[in-house]
Amino acid sequence: MNNSLTLKAYQLILTKSATAFFMLFVCNAFVSATPQVKTIHIATEEWKNAAEKDLSGTYFDITRTIFSPQGYELKVSFVPYKRALLMVEKQEVDALFGTYSAEEENKPFLVTPNLPLDGERTIAIFKKSSVSRWEGEKSLANRKVAWILGYDYHNSLNVDVNFQEVRSAHSGLSMLKAGRIDFYIDAASDVAPLLNETKDHYQQETLLINNLYMAFANTLKGKLLAKIYDEEF
């Protein structure tokens, strides 16, 4: 009698163990077959029609089109451009929008893909009375110039300028109006709304035309993201 009960108990334990093992196998197979959500953390300044705070705009549309099919979701931190660069350098985020190539920027902590995200026309703005004849960047030589924090236009100029950085286009134009600087440099698309109100007082000339990139942190993940970007663009 005791032997019979022991045998039945042993058989019951084997049956339950087999069932548990089978359920564990099924669960693991289900998890493996389910696409794992991956994240791209982007730091960016807010730019009208390109990177809006509601995550609309062409930059976000392009990014989602490229990375969503690969299982990536976007996480976005809206910060000033200078801060975005610093966050990428410290590897606190994976990417930022709107930079020149890593080589042009001379920033080895960036990885830029081969294909640009956008193009940019950079303009020099000055009082019509301050320059008798526009000669391109030569007109800026040894003059007082301002631009947005982190834009680092001096890396793209072939002349020496006395530059300072400002937090906004409004601040730069205010300094120009007050005579504290001779030129304000910015992307034409960013400063255009402000110039509409004062275009009779200022002259604007094209200074630079460059490609803009979605740049990634110089990490294994960043290099992989740059590769996916080029392959899926």
Side-chain angles (χ1 to χ4, degrees):
M1 182 68 175
N2 289 339
N3 290 339
S4 177
L5 286 174
T6 300
L7 179 60
K8 288 182 179 180
Y10 180 69
Q11 288 174 334
L12 181 61
I13 291 171
L14 284 179
T15 301
K16 288 185 176 180
S17 297
T19 301
F21 178 79
F22 176 75
M23 292 302 295
L24 180 62
F25 174 79
V26 170
C27 289
N28 286 338
F30 176 77
V31 170
S32 299
T34 302
Q36 299 300 298
V37 175
K38 297 167 285 188
T39 302
I40 301 176
H41 191 178
I42 301 169
T44 183
E45 192 168 331
E46 182 182 10
W47 283 303
K48 186 174 178 60
N49 299 323
E52 304 272 12
K53 284 200 172 180
D54 63 357
L55 302 192
S56 64
T58 54
Y59 292 175
F60 287 128
D61 290 344
I62 291 171
T63 303
R64 278 190 290 264
T65 298
I66 292 171
F67 291 105
S68 291
Q70 307 300 317
Y72 287 93
E73 290 186 349
L74 304 187
K75 178 182 178 182
V76 182
S77 297
F78 285 96
V79 295
Y81 182 78
K82 183 85 170 182
R83 175 62 181 160
L85 276 173
L86 185 62
M87 291 173 75
V88 174
E89 183 176 11
K90 290 183 175 181
Q91 298 178 9
E92 296 174 353
V93 297
D94 301 309
L96 80 158
F97 291 139
T99 183
Y100 295 162
S101 71
E103 292 75 19
E104 287 179 287
E105 290 273 23
N106 192 28
K107 291 181 171 59
F109 59 85
L110 294 178
V111 174
T112 44
N114 295 319
L115 299 175
L117 179 68
D118 199 357
E120 178 179 79
R121 183 172 71 93
T122 302
I123 59 175
I125 306 161
F126 50 94
K127 290 180 179 179
K128 292 181 178 180
S129 58
S130 67
V131 177
S132 58
R133 180 185 175 191
W134 172 252
E135 297 182 290
E137 65 177 17
K138 290 182 181 179
S139 297
L140 276 61
N142 301 313
R143 303 291 293 273
K144 292 181 290 184
V145 179
W147 53 69
I148 298 287
L149 276 164
Y151 281 18
D152 294 346
Y153 286 124
H154 58 288
N155 291 332
S156 301
L157 296 174
N158 297 309
V159 295
D160 292 328
V161 296
N162 299 316
F163 74 89
Q164 55 185 299
E165 297 178 303
V166 296
R167 293 189 177 276
S168 68
H170 186 271
S171 295
L173 291 175
S174 294
M175 292 174 67
L176 185 62
K177 181 179 179 180
R180 294 170 58 193
I181 58 173
D182 302 309
F183 297 89
Y184 175 65
I185 300 175
D186 205 340
S189 58
D190 292 344
V191 77
L194 297 176
L195 285 178
N196 286 337
E197 302 173 3
T198 56
K199 60 184 178 181
D200 293 337
H201 304 287
Y202 298 112
Q203 183 171 333
Q204 55 178 294
E205 297 288 347
T206 299
L207 185 62
L208 302 165
I209 295 179
N210 295 91
N211 288 325
L212 295 178
Y213 294 84
M214 180 179 185
F216 301 91
N218 192 359
T219 61
L220 289 176
K221 181 181 180 182
K223 291 174 181 177
L224 173 62
L225 293 173
K227 183 174 182 290
I228 293 172
Y229 179 99
D230 277 332
E231 290 176 349
E232 302 297 328
F233 194 92

